[in-house]
Amino acid sequence: RKILSQKDISIDFICLEEAVNFYCHHFEIESIVNNLLTNSFYAFSTPIQREKKIKITLKVNDEDILLCYEDSGPGLPKIFKENPDLILAAMESEKRDENGELIGTGMGMWIIDRTVREYKGKIDLSKNKTEEIGFHMAISLKKGSRR
């Protein structure tokens, strides 16, 4: 909370279920969320003139557990706007330092994709094509999937 308050970042976590049961290794789910948060924090490090918000929504339907993630950052770089699924490839990054040097490893989103696939899930990045700002990811994981 201390880091978030210093950076003026708010995180809303909305769980629409009383309990969510999912057989998994907790560190793999944590890795998904940590990589998303890390990317948002980086995106927020660029000068933006709006509130820095992250919203995570967890809900369940008959077949899936749905994790929706969105932030109010600048959105995907132009190179990924038309085909946002490209960010899921290993070694794909546009993170640069103040001198324009590539600093991202391109592994965070690949780790998310690999983990979701291992749990027989899917990632939907299509909202990034139409939204002007922010990053949007919807992850669906099959209930009862046991890798």
Side-chain angles (χ1 to χ4, degrees):
R1 292 187 190 275
K2 186 175 181 181
I3 292 171
L4 295 175
S5 65
Q6 288 175 352
K7 306 254 184 211
D8 294 323
I9 299 171
S10 68
I11 298 179
D12 291 326
F13 177 71
I14 301 163
C15 185
L16 301 176
E17 307 299 322
E18 202 167 295
V20 177
N21 295 314
F22 184 64
Y23 180 81
C24 66
H25 297 287
H26 68 88
F27 61 88
E28 290 180 315
I29 303 305
E30 289 171 5
S31 176
I32 290 171
V33 175
N34 284 337
N35 276 302
L36 289 168
L37 290 172
T38 299
N39 287 346
S40 291
F41 294 165
Y42 174 79
F44 290 148
S45 70
T46 61
I48 56 175
Q49 302 298 318
R50 60 187 159 277
E51 289 184 82
K52 300 172 185 175
K53 291 185 174 187
I54 296 170
K55 181 179 172 186
I56 303 169
T57 306
L58 185 65
K59 52 189 170 182
V60 178
N61 65 25
D62 290 339
E63 298 175 9
D64 302 307
I65 294 170
L66 305 167
L67 176 74
C68 298
Y69 184 93
E70 56 187 60
D71 71 30
S72 63
L76 288 177
K78 199 174 198 176
I79 190 169
F80 299 118
K81 205 66 168 161
E82 287 183 26
N83 188 0
D85 290 338
L86 290 175
I87 65 170
L88 303 175
M91 313 301 277
E92 196 63 54
S93 179
E94 278 296 307
K95 282 187 183 176
R96 298 182 182 277
D97 66 13
E98 61 277 354
N99 298 320
E101 297 291 322
L102 196 60
I103 58 170
T105 63
M107 296 307 291
M109 296 301 284
W110 177 80
I111 290 169
I112 292 171
D113 185 50
R114 188 199 73 210
T115 304
V116 168
R117 288 175 191 258
E118 284 179 1
Y119 283 97
K120 300 178 183 129
K122 295 180 182 173
I123 294 175
D124 181 3
L125 295 167
S126 61
K127 193 171 180 181
N128 292 289
K129 292 179 183 180
T130 57
E131 294 295 321
E132 291 295 318
I133 61 166
F135 174 75
H136 311 272
M137 177 182 273
I139 298 171
S140 62
L141 301 167
K142 291 289 177 204
K143 281 183 177 176
S145 66
R146 291 186 172 213
R147 296 176 40 139

